[in-house]
Amino acid sequence: METADVDNWLDTIATGTAVGTTAEATAHHHIRPGVTYRPVKDGPRIPVRLAWWRDDRPRGLGDLIDLTTRLYAGRASSSGTGAGAGSG
């Protein structure tokens, strides 16, 4: 079943007619009564990207990239599930 956006997708799940797999962030940002999110242990890693306005490169970008890389590498090694392990 195709849906137009996350809200529509979660509404469909809330009706009990579908299930889905999503990033952990969805569980934090799109809370729905009746929808339960469960961690998928040893799930696939989800690529993480930094984003900024193309005409305004952030100061200290190299440091930000290094910090983010270390943060996600630390989560992967300490949690055993990888950075951004999915929920569903």
Side-chain angles (χ1 to χ4, degrees):
M1 168 180 282
E2 287 190 35
T3 58
D5 56 39
V6 173
D7 290 319
N8 184 272
W9 176 70
L10 288 170
D11 290 344
T12 302
I13 291 172
T15 68
T17 59
V19 297
T21 304
T22 189
E24 183 176 353
T26 305
H28 297 286
H29 297 290
H30 296 277
I31 298 168
R32 284 286 186 290
V35 174
T36 300
Y37 296 92
R38 296 288 183 239
V40 176
K41 296 193 184 280
D42 298 324
R45 292 181 61 127
I46 297 173
V48 175
R49 305 280 191 256
L50 293 174
W52 61 87
W53 180 246
R54 67 177 168 238
D55 296 332
D56 190 17
R57 182 183 172 114
R59 286 184 303 192
L61 181 58
D63 291 338
L64 179 58
I65 291 169
D66 290 343
L67 176 64
T68 304
T69 301
R70 286 195 312 270
L71 172 70
Y72 279 87
R75 284 189 64 199
S77 62
S78 65
S79 70
T81 58
S87 298

